[in-house]
Amino acid sequence: MSLPTLRQILGLPAFRGAELLSGQARLDGQITWVHVAEVLDAARLLSGGELLLSTGLELARTSPEARVAYVRSLAEAGVGGLGLELVQWLKEVPAEM
């Protein structure tokens, strides 16, 4: 059994309406695991290939510089994708992200 790709996951009914903002070149990368985390130091928990899901609670409470550092740390950890639920704390993805 092979691991699903980000493209396959985004095609699931649960992700209907999701919008891919960047990383189109990595759509066919395999996702090794799915994590849900609200902490800004989530990268320390990851080993690469994960899809990280978040409501953006801590992202809404922090500075633009900290949000940039967060995205960079996830990229350096090799995360396969970041999914943000844009409902309560974040209504849109901050431009710096």
Side-chain angles (χ1 to χ4, degrees):
M1 179 166 71
S2 64
L3 296 171
T5 65
L6 183 57
R7 183 184 309 276
Q8 290 170 320
I9 291 172
L10 289 174
L12 295 172
F15 288 93
R16 185 173 292 124
E19 183 180 353
L20 184 68
L21 298 181
S22 68
Q24 289 82 354
R26 301 194 65 196
L27 273 172
D28 294 313
Q30 292 183 323
I31 298 299
T32 59
W33 194 257
V34 177
H35 283 281
V36 176
E38 298 302 329
V39 295
L40 294 178
D41 64 344
R44 67 182 172 82
L45 306 170
L46 307 173
S47 58
E50 297 91 349
L51 174 59
L52 182 64
L53 303 176
S54 174
T55 64
L57 171 63
E58 292 302 320
L59 291 169
R61 295 178 177 176
T62 195
S63 69
E65 295 80 15
R67 289 191 283 265
V68 169
Y70 172 75
V71 172
R72 281 192 181 135
S73 72
L74 296 180
E76 289 170 2
V79 168
L82 170 62
L84 294 174
E85 183 179 33
L86 302 176
V87 289
Q88 188 170 359
W89 295 285
L90 283 180
K91 301 292 183 191
E92 60 185 40
V93 177
E96 67 274 5
M97 292 181 69

